[in-house]
Amino acid sequence: MTTAGQAPPVAPATSPAHRTRAATALLVAAIVLVALNQRPAVVAVAPLLGDLRADTGLSSALAGLLTTLPVLCFGAFAPVAPRLARRVGLETAVAASLLLLAAGIALRLVHPVVALYAGSLVAGAAIAIANVLMPAYVKREFLRPGAVMGLYSASLNVGAAAAAAVTVPVADALGLDWRAALASWLVLAVLATALWLPVAGTGRSRRGAGPDTGAGSWSLLRQPLARQVTAFLGMQSVQFYSIAAWLPTLLADAGVPRGEGGLLLGLSNVAGAAGALVAPALAGRMRVQRPLVVAVLGAYVVGLGGLLLAPASGTLVWVAVFGLAQGGGFALALTLIVLRSSTPLVAARLGGVAQCVGYLVASAGPLVLGALHDLTGGWTWPVVLLLAVLAPMGWAGWGAARDAALDPPSSVDRLPQH
């Protein structure tokens, strides 16, 4: 393992020194537009579940699988991303993910119910690829990636908040049924593809020096730093998906009007966008990011502690602070993948491993919390469990935030450039 200052430089496809301000602005816009697409295909399902179940007759469990399946795909398909990038080029792989996402969204228009699950699986696989490759792309194209990672991470939250807030109102205003409402997000995917292709470039990338078997990705976990980054991302994701699944129910059981639960969850995502914008920008200016880890943990303690002790009073504060914690924590985790990697390919490989493990673990969070709620008859112990998870999360984050970089698993660790 080398210190961060000793990491070998990797030239971007177009050197930032030779890129005009207009070209840089267009590239950042393309990155933001790709990020905006990474959550609506998943989040837009939840507000429409009532209409969907009424039309299809699906049980609650089968309907819930439509929101769980993509998260499982985030983990299962994450290791595929660096292999794909090594074979066809980073830009081409991201373009392919956008086209695959559009196909998955469009597939939901097909009437057999099985098409809903097929579309969710295809969309989840597409998002998994972009989730892994976009931080690697940012690392390659920007000498100081912190600010751009902030915009990227904030855009993930904005996309999620928009999908939760506007899917139903837009459908009602345009007279769309639930299928057309889900498919309406196809427009955003097409726009992202249309901008990405000419701005980022594709079809000109050199192939890798040889086939990428993926062995290098998992061998990274032999290094403690990689395990710490992976653990921090995974436990942070457990927090987010657990609260996202159960916050409205928790608040309703505490006496908060049921109609306000969704709005408060949306507020959490908006606050998360603010945290996601700030954390990477600060992290990029630091050699050691441990103060940010402490700040994120402190915000989690305040938000979860408030939901534990006084969920019906000061709710806006607890939800907003939790949102800052999850937005800042997730963005910091993505930024640590970039900062702790010696090359863009190492960043892609570490992202694939960390997100594979992290999302698979995170998908169990809502199930565990639901089971613990059923066992205890309340939300005290589920929230206490989330607070307890902060201890190993803090340990992992403390190690992941030190000034070091992962050693590449081979001497040919470079993503092909055009």
Side-chain angles (χ1 to χ4, degrees):
M1 184 164 54
T2 60
T3 64
Q6 295 173 334
V10 177
T14 301
S15 173
H18 297 94
R19 188 186 295 138
T20 66
R21 289 186 178 181
T24 299
L26 277 174
L27 184 57
V28 171
I31 291 169
V32 167
L33 202 51
V34 171
L36 289 173
N37 274 275
Q38 301 309 298
R39 295 297 178 265
V42 180
V43 177
V45 174
L48 297 167
L49 278 179
D51 292 341
L52 186 155
R53 290 186 60 206
D55 185 38
T56 62
L58 288 176
S59 66
S60 296
L62 288 176
L65 184 60
L66 288 171
T67 59
T68 304
L69 184 60
V71 180
L72 291 171
C73 289
F74 291 175
F77 288 95
V80 174
R83 304 183 196 181
L84 181 63
R86 187 132 173 91
R87 288 179 179 273
V88 304
L90 188 48
E91 299 89 350
T92 306
V94 173
S97 77
L98 291 170
L99 293 172
L100 195 63
L101 175 61
I105 295 173
L107 194 56
R108 290 168 167 177
L109 281 170
V110 181
H111 276 272
V113 172
V114 68
L116 278 174
Y117 294 94
S120 295
L121 186 137
V122 171
I127 294 169
I129 293 170
N131 277 344
V132 172
L133 296 185
M134 288 307 294
Y137 182 79
V138 170
K139 179 176 180 63
R140 197 191 72 184
E141 293 297 320
F142 296 90
L143 296 177
R144 295 183 178 180
V148 180
M149 282 302 300
L151 286 171
Y152 171 78
S153 303
S155 298
L156 293 175
N157 285 81
V158 171
V166 308
T167 299
V168 171
V170 168
D172 290 343
L174 299 179
L176 303 177
D177 64 7
W178 64 267
R179 290 183 186 275
L182 286 177
S184 65
W185 291 102
L186 179 62
V187 175
L188 189 61
V190 171
L191 287 175
T193 306
L195 183 58
W196 180 264
L197 291 176
V199 171
T202 188
R204 296 171 288 149
S205 301
R206 295 199 305 268
R207 293 179 181 271
D212 186 357
T213 65
S217 299
W218 293 103
S219 67
L220 286 173
L221 291 180
R222 297 171 186 168
Q223 303 179 53
L225 182 57
R227 295 196 295 271
Q228 289 161 345
V229 171
T230 298
F232 183 71
L233 174 65
M235 285 181 279
Q236 196 286 143
S237 297
V238 167
Q239 300 284 350
F240 171 70
Y241 285 105
S242 297
I243 289 296
W246 291 111
L247 179 64
T249 305
L250 183 156
L251 294 178
D253 289 351
V256 175
R258 188 169 295 273
E260 295 182 10
L263 293 175
L264 288 166
L265 183 58
L267 170 65
S268 175
N269 281 313
V270 171
L277 185 64
V278 173
L282 294 176
R285 297 188 179 100
M286 299 176 173
R287 294 184 66 85
V288 175
Q289 292 76 32
R290 286 171 172 171
L292 294 178
V293 172
V294 173
V296 166
L297 290 172
Y300 269 124
V301 169
V302 172
L304 290 172
L307 291 174
L308 174 66
L309 300 175
S313 59
T315 310
L316 281 172
V317 175
W318 314 139
V319 170
V321 174
F322 179 86
L324 284 171
Q326 66 86 12
F330 181 68
L332 178 59
L334 292 182
T335 305
L336 289 174
I337 290 173
V338 171
L339 296 177
R340 300 289 87 90
S341 299
S342 53
T343 71
L345 182 56
V346 173
R349 285 174 163 174
L350 177 59
V353 170
Q355 293 189 47
C356 176
V357 175
Y359 283 123
L360 290 177
V361 171
S363 66
L367 298 176
V368 172
L369 254 66
L372 192 56
H373 170 264
D374 291 342
L375 182 65
T376 62
W379 290 105
T380 297
W381 285 108
V383 177
V384 167
L385 177 62
L386 291 180
L387 283 167
V389 169
L390 294 178
M393 177 179 163
W395 171 84
W398 190 261
R402 68 186 185 274
D403 182 23
L406 289 167
D407 293 323
S410 72
S411 60
V412 293
D413 270 339
R414 291 182 182 273
L415 281 174
Q417 305 167 17
H418 60 259

